[in-house]
Amino acid sequence: MEKYKKEFTAADSVPDYSDLRFWAAHPSKKDPSDSIPKPLLLEPRDSLADVFFIHPTSLTSKAVAGKVWNASLANDTLNAKTDYTSILYQASIFNGNCRVFAPRYRQAHIYSFYSFDQPQSQAALELAYADVKKAFLYYLEKHNNNRPIIIASHSQGTYHAGRLLKEFFENKPLSDKLVCAYIIGLGVPLNYFSVMEPCRAPNETNCFVTWRTFRKGYLPDYVQKEEGKTWSVNPLIWTLSDSAVSRKENKGAVLFKFNKPYKRTNGAKNHNGVLWINRPRFFYSIFLRTKNYHAGDMNLFYYSIRKNVRDRIEAYQKSHLIQSN
């Protein structure tokens, strides 16, 4: 049974995952990942699988860039920022059919990705991954109990999720427990995995989905340098097809107001290793100037992902029932 102290202290510099304070989301405590958008409150729910969710970067202060390389786990302000952004708006996607586990970890400062080749950046990312790995090992030992697993992540979280999948799932017995990996918001090169494949159908299991969202017609310089050599799965149809999908197929986004669904905000089309969308349609969206929708990678497809999680778990259950007979 996990212990739970309310306050962090300066001594809490290294995570102890037997302590619930070091989990941003955990089935044994109430947290923002338990939240359900009001229109979905009456939908059937279960917890047939577990999701291990690795949150994106919330350590973004320019004032400490190049000075503070990793987050302090005792930073209550930063923890709250994480909880009420990615845990509320991203991890909650999975609570319709999963128990949600999301560790706090000494995330690397976002500057680490802009100075990737510097020794300090690599050390910061190594420390962050060590925490994620430690949390996952604790989860496996204390909580998994042979249950199906979903790995989910965004941005920096996907950097660590990729390593986790290689170390624990690819060519490993644990791969049989993998429903799907939703590794979003960071490019996954075509040759990143040696065996694991991208999902090519909405109910395929033991595979991964990934995408990065940009305005139609826009490819930033770093994407152009990739020459299309990254995977992109369209989250409206869950295939690698480059066919354009109408916004009518987008059943709901969760954006600024958690309890207000935004329906048919945008369509989607795979293009050259990324996901292109039209400018999302919602009140005041005409003033939306950005062409990089990184912050909305998951939120723009909230309802679609939520349904797909259910579909893949059902497919996983059916396939393993057949195998056991």
Side-chain angles (χ1 to χ4, degrees), residues 66-108:
K67 301 174 185 177
V68 174
W69 289 94
N70 291 88
S72 165
L73 295 172
N75 186 332
D76 290 334
T77 300
L78 187 63
N79 289 341
K81 179 183 177 182
T82 300
D83 293 352
Y84 291 97
T85 53
S86 61
I87 301 303
L88 175 62
Y89 283 90
Q90 295 178 329
S92 68
I93 292 173
F94 300 88
N95 67 24
N97 301 93
C98 299
R99 301 190 303 173
V100 182
F101 295 84
R104 299 199 189 283
Y105 65 98
R106 287 170 289 180
Q107 59 179 288

Side-chain angles (χ1 to χ4, degrees), residues 17 87 106 112 123 126 143 218 220-221 241 276 285 289 310 312 323:
Y17 292 110
I87 301 303
R106 287 170 289 180
S112 298
E126 284 295 325
H143 294 292
Y218 177 63
D221 290 343
S241 168
W276 269 359
S285 68
R289 301 302 182 193
R310 180 169 65 250
R312 291 191 197 274
Q323 292 174 19

Side-chain angles (χ1 to χ4, degrees), residues 285-299:
S285 68
I286 192 172
F287 299 109
L288 190 64
R289 301 302 182 193
T290 184
K291 296 180 180 180
N292 184 341
Y293 298 118
H294 180 71
D297 279 325
M298 299 181 75
N299 306 76

Side-chain angles (χ1 to χ4, degrees), residues 23-25 33 50-56 82 85-94 99-105 132 135-136 149-155 157-158 161 164 182 184 298:
W23 292 91
S33 77
D50 292 339
V51 61
F52 188 83
F53 178 81
I54 310 171
H55 69 75
T82 300
T85 53
S86 61
I87 301 303
L88 175 62
Y89 283 90
Q90 295 178 329
S92 68
I93 292 173
F94 300 88
R99 301 190 303 173
V100 182
F101 295 84
R104 299 199 189 283
Y105 65 98
V132 170
F136 187 67
I149 303 171
I150 289 173
I151 300 296
S153 58
H154 185 245
S155 197
T158 290
L164 202 73
Y182 293 81
I184 300 161
M298 299 181 75

Side-chain angles (χ1 to χ4, degrees), residues 211-228:
W211 63 87
R212 293 169 292 169
T213 317
F214 298 96
R215 176 89 63 85
K216 182 180 178 180
Y218 177 63
L219 287 175
D221 290 343
Y222 64 89
V223 171
Q224 293 183 41
K225 291 177 182 178
E226 296 168 357
E227 298 180 339

